[in-house]
Amino acid sequence: MKGEKDDVQISLLSKLKNYSREISSLKGQIKKGPRVTVNYKNVIVCSSFEELEAIKTDELVFVENGISSGLFKLISKSNSTNLDRGVYFKSSITNFIWKRVFDGDEILVDWYRHSISDDITDEIKRAMRTAAFLKKYVSLPAGVFKISRPIIVPMGLLGVYGKGKLATILIPRSGLEVTFHIKYSGNYSDFTIGEYRPLNNRINSNGILIEGELASEAVNNSIVLSTFENIRILGLNGYGFKIENVYDSYFKSISVELCGNSDEYAFSVNSINGETTNMSTWDQLQVEQSDKKAIYIGPDVFSCVFSNIHSERTSDSKDIFSYVLGGNRCLYESIRIHNRTEKSSLRISGYNTTFINFGVESPNTLLLEGVNGSDLNFINSYLPFSELSTVRNQIGNIYFNSGTFRKGINNNQNLHFEYGLFK
C-alpha cells in the first residue's frame, strides 16, 4: 500500500506544479472532509464529486473521479446556480461553489464524463457552453464515440480540437440531420465523423454544415477568419462537408469518403441568399468513392483558391452532374478526377476562372460555360478521354494553353486550343 500511496502523491504533485502560489498562501493545518482518502500539504483529496458535496474548507480539493479528475478551489459560498460539473461544481448540501483550477485555453470534454457511456453528445454540449462563456476551445477525447443529436456550436466558442483523425472518431446516429452545425467563426481540427461502410450500408446522416449568416455584426455572426484542418468524414448517406457563405478562411487537409447521394453532394461550397463564399483557400481536398454527387463549387463562389483536389471512384449517374466546378475569379490547381464509368458528366461554369494541371482520367462528358460571356482558362490540361462541349447559347471563350486532349474534339468557335497533343 505504501508504494501505491507514493505513486498517488507523485502524480498529484505533478498536477499541482502550476498552482504553487495558491497552495503556499493557504494557512493552518490540514482539514479533513468526510471520507477523505488522502490529504497532505494543504490539499484534500477525495474520491468523487459526492464527497466534495459536504466539504467545508477554503483549501484546494483534488477530486479523483477517473476521467473527470481535477483540482478545485472554493470561489463562492452563495446560492448561485452556476453549476456544470465540468469547470464549476455547486454542492447541494453546502451551496458552496467550486471552480476547477486549470491552465490554458482548453475545456476538456472528459471533465463532463461521469460514466463510461460511449455516447458523449451531452458532454460535448456542456463543454461547448462553458467554453463559449469563457472564450476557450473544446478538446475532444481520444476514442470512438456516438453522437445521438445535432451538435450546434454556440457563439463565443473558439473552436474544437480532437486528438487526430485516427484517434478521435465520432459516429452519428442514423437519421441525424447534421452532426456538427457551425454558424460562427472558430478553429476545428483533428477528428473524424463516421466510420467505414460500403455504399449500400451507410449511416443515414449528414456530416458538417458550415453556415455563415452575415449580419450587421459580421465578425460575430458569420464564418470569417476560421480554420479547418485534418478533418475526415466517411460512410454517410448524405452530405459530408457543406459550406455556405464563408469568407477569409483556411481549409487544410479535408477528406470526404463514401458520402453523397442523389440529393446531396459529398462536398460542396455554396453562396446563398445573395451573399458569397469568398477569399478562402483549400490546401488539400480528398473526395473518394462518392455516391453519384461528389463535388459542387458554385459559380458565385468568389476569389477562392482550390489546390490539390483528388477525387476518384465516384458512383456515376447519367442524369446527374457528378462534378460542378465554378467560381468567379477563382483558381484551381492540381485537380485529378476519376469516375467509375463513362456515364459520368462534369460541368464547369465560371467567371474568368483559371484551371492549372486539370486532369480527368476517365471517359465522361465535360460541359463548359464561360458565364455571362467571360473567359475560362486551362493551362496544362489532361483530358484525353473527355468529350468537350459547351452549354447551349453560351458566349464565353474557353482557352486551352497546352495539354492532352481527345482526338476528333468538337472544336466550335468558343473553344480555343493554343498548344496541345490530341490522342
Side-chain angles (χ1 to χ4, degrees), residues 19-77:
Y19 314 117
S20 58
R21 182 174 299 175
E22 288 97 332
I23 295 174
S24 63
S25 66
L26 296 175
K27 298 178 181 180
Q29 299 299 314
I30 299 171
K31 300 176 183 179
K32 291 186 178 181
R35 306 189 311 282
V36 169
T37 57
V38 182
N39 45 77
Y40 55 89
K41 291 191 176 181
N42 296 329
V43 177
I44 293 177
V45 180
C46 56
S47 62
S48 68
F49 282 94
E50 285 67 33
E51 288 189 7
L52 185 60
E53 284 273 357
I55 291 180
K56 301 178 180 180
T57 177
D58 288 335
E59 294 172 330
L60 295 177
V61 177
F62 185 76
V63 180
E64 289 184 319
N65 192 45
I67 51 182
S68 58
S69 298
L71 183 70
F72 288 81
K73 66 178 179 180
L74 184 66
I75 63 168
S76 173
K77 297 182 181 181

Side-chain angles (χ1 to χ4, degrees), residues 364 382-389 403-411 415 417 420-423:
N364 63 81
Y382 183 78
L383 304 168
F385 311 108
S386 298
E387 177 184 334
L388 300 183
S389 61
T404 303
F405 308 101
R406 178 177 176 178
K407 188 177 293 186
I409 196 167
N410 177 21
N411 186 5
L415 299 179
F417 297 85
L421 174 65
F422 290 87
K423 289 190 173 181

Side-chain angles (χ1 to χ4, degrees), residues 150 172-181 193-194 203-209 233 235-242 259-261 263-266:
R173 171 182 57 81
S174 185
L176 208 61
E177 58 188 275
V178 59
T179 307
F180 270 104
H181 190 176
I193 294 177
I203 303 170
N204 293 316
S205 174
N206 294 307
I208 295 179
L209 172 61
I233 305 175
L236 305 184
N237 184 17
Y239 61 77
F241 210 91
K242 191 174 190 177
C259 294
N261 54 35
D263 298 316
E264 296 282 359
Y265 279 89

Side-chain angles (χ1 to χ4, degrees), residues 177-190:
E177 58 188 275
V178 59
T179 307
F180 270 104
H181 190 176
I182 301 170
K183 300 176 67 173
Y184 306 104
S185 299
N187 302 319
Y188 300 81
S189 69
D190 296 300

Side-chain angles (χ1 to χ4, degrees), residues 119-126 146-151:
D119 188 328
I120 61 171
T121 306
D122 288 337
E123 288 80 356
I124 292 176
K125 286 175 174 285
R126 287 196 288 267
K146 294 178 181 178
I147 302 297
S148 55
R149 295 183 309 286
I151 304 293

Side-chain angles (χ1 to χ4, degrees), residues 3-16 40:
E4 293 182 4
K5 183 176 179 180
D6 290 343
D7 290 341
V8 171
Q9 182 170 344
I10 292 172
S11 174
L12 182 58
L13 289 175
S14 175
K15 293 177 181 293
L16 300 178
Y40 55 89

Side-chain angles (χ1 to χ4, degrees), residues 229-291:
E229 180 177 1
N230 297 330
I231 296 175
R232 184 187 190 196
I233 305 175
L234 75 160
L236 305 184
N237 184 17
Y239 61 77
F241 210 91
K242 191 174 190 177
I243 300 162
E244 297 179 349
N245 296 352
V246 174
Y247 58 98
D248 298 352
S249 294
Y250 177 52
F251 298 80
K252 180 179 181 181
S253 188
I254 306 298
S255 181
V256 181
E257 306 158 52
L258 291 158
C259 294
N261 54 35
S262 298
D263 298 316
E264 296 282 359
Y265 279 89
F267 172 87
S268 67
V269 183
N270 307 274
S271 297
I272 62 172
N273 297 329
E275 300 296 343
T276 65
T277 292
N278 63 70
M279 303 304 293
S280 295
T281 298
W282 283 258
D283 262 6
Q284 179 178 308
L285 173 63
Q286 187 98 352
V287 183
E288 296 289 300
Q289 301 185 72
S290 305
D291 184 16

